Amino acid sequence: MADSFSLRNVLENFKSCLSDNKEVYVKYYISGWRELVSFMNSLGSVFSFISKDAVSKIQILENFLMGENGTHYLTVQSMVKYELDNELVDLTKRGSHPESGCRTLLRLHRALRWLQLFLESLRTSTEDSKTSVMCSEAYNASLAQHHPWIIRKAAGVAFCALPGRDAFFEVMNAGSHQEVITLLGEALPLISEVYQITEDLYAKNKLLDLP
Ligand code: 1PX
């Protein structure tokens, strides 16, 4: 992980995520998220309840990857196959595998949809666009559907503390506004591809509603 956040690091990780035959490497997927979490931490402590949850999910996946069955966790595809073949996933209600790789990654996968929507709206925003509005619209169209009222409420409060558009572009640490916009244009197709491959894989295996 780099010392300070740059949007470029996020891009690099998502670029490295895809193997030649379009499998998603867990290692780079979680490194991408670590970068994003370090960015979020730089925005202030209102966001710490969000980053804590993200970090704990990243950690669960990292533990699998580093553990004795780590080779099965190299890609999202191999993870899904391994956990399903070995009945390591709670499919309908939480039971003996409450923290499977599959359900844990699904939470980050849903958040990736939020990220995709939010970055796209930042990319196409104008000077008077409000980050808090863009963020909550992206949230309502994605993650919010999976969150109970109390989390939605807390998320809404946090969004109000987001820096304005100018400051936001600054903290992304990728040059001038125009350079940030160009970089977002490069990052988004990569993020979308990783998202779509995961979405199709989960849909095919009926894993999109894991408890
Ligand atoms: C370049 C700019 C990018 C900004 C980067 C921001 C990174 C955001 C990382 C968000 C990761 C959120 C993961 C949430 C996973 C989740 O849905 N968890 C819930 C369910 O988990 P469970 O194990 O119980 O089934 C959990 O209940 C979540 C709790 C925390 C609240 C989640 C609110 C998510 C808001 C997402 C928007 C982040 C806004 C950051 C603004 C920069």
Side-chain angles (χ1 to χ4, degrees):
M1 198 165 72
D3 294 325
S4 64
F5 174 87
S6 163
L7 183 61
R8 214 160 260 120
N9 299 334
V10 176
L11 174 66
E12 288 307 321
N13 279 301
F14 282 103
K15 212 181 247 169
S16 308
C17 251
L18 287 179
S19 74
D20 292 339
N21 59 343
K22 305 279 179 196
E23 297 203 7
V24 178
Y25 289 120
V26 172
K27 179 180 170 194
Y28 295 107
Y29 194 89
I30 58 185
S31 305
W33 278 109
R34 280 209 194 276
E35 285 293 334
L36 289 162
V37 166
S38 88
F39 176 80
M40 195 164 48
N41 287 338
S42 76
L43 297 179
S45 56
V46 219
F47 299 96
S48 60
F49 79 105
I50 305 176
S51 64
K52 266 195 198 120
D53 185 71
V55 166
S56 90
K57 288 178 168 57
I58 292 166
Q59 200 56 55
I60 291 170
L61 292 170
E62 188 150 277
N63 291 346
F64 280 128
L65 191 58
M66 297 301 169
E68 50 181 334
N69 296 309
T71 50
H72 298 293
Y73 288 84
L74 269 186
T75 68
V76 179
Q77 285 74 2
S78 65
M79 172 189 82
V80 165
K81 179 165 179 0
Y82 170 72
E83 289 197 340
L84 288 180
D85 286 354
N86 293 283
E87 295 178 18
L88 296 171
V89 186
D90 290 340
L91 294 171
T92 49
K93 58 174 176 19
R94 302 194 82 169
S96 45
H97 304 290
E99 295 194 333
S100 65
C102 286
R103 70 87 63 192
T104 303
L105 192 121
L106 176 62
R107 273 44 187 188
L108 294 177
H109 170 68
R110 290 168 176 165
L112 196 63
R113 174 75 183 146
W114 163 81
L115 184 73
Q116 189 192 345
L117 295 172
F118 178 56
L119 293 184
E120 178 58 18
S121 111
L122 264 181
R123 189 182 73 82
T124 53
S125 63
T126 55
E127 261 168 36
D128 49 3
S129 303
K130 288 209 169 352
T131 48
S132 56
V133 173
M134 295 187 264
C135 187
S136 62
E137 283 175 356
Y139 176 73
N140 290 336
S142 58
L143 269 179
Q145 300 158 26
H146 305 284
H147 288 163
W149 179 85
I150 183 78
I151 299 279
R152 294 202 302 270
K153 197 80 193 151
V157 171
F159 298 160
C160 293
L162 277 175
R165 182 175 177 273
D166 278 352
F168 208 89
F169 274 68
E170 285 307 309
V171 271
M172 287 202 271
N173 190 21
S176 68
H177 283 199
Q178 197 45 54
E179 286 170 313
V180 172
I181 289 170
T182 305
L183 197 60
L184 285 174
E186 286 170 36
L188 275 158
L190 291 168
I191 293 174
S192 302
E193 192 176 11
V194 170
Y195 177 83
Q196 202 53 50
I197 290 172
T198 311
E199 178 75 9
D200 293 345
L201 176 75
Y202 269 65
K204 195 174 86 195
N205 290 282
K206 301 195 169 52
L207 300 175
L208 285 169
D209 295 311
L210 290 180

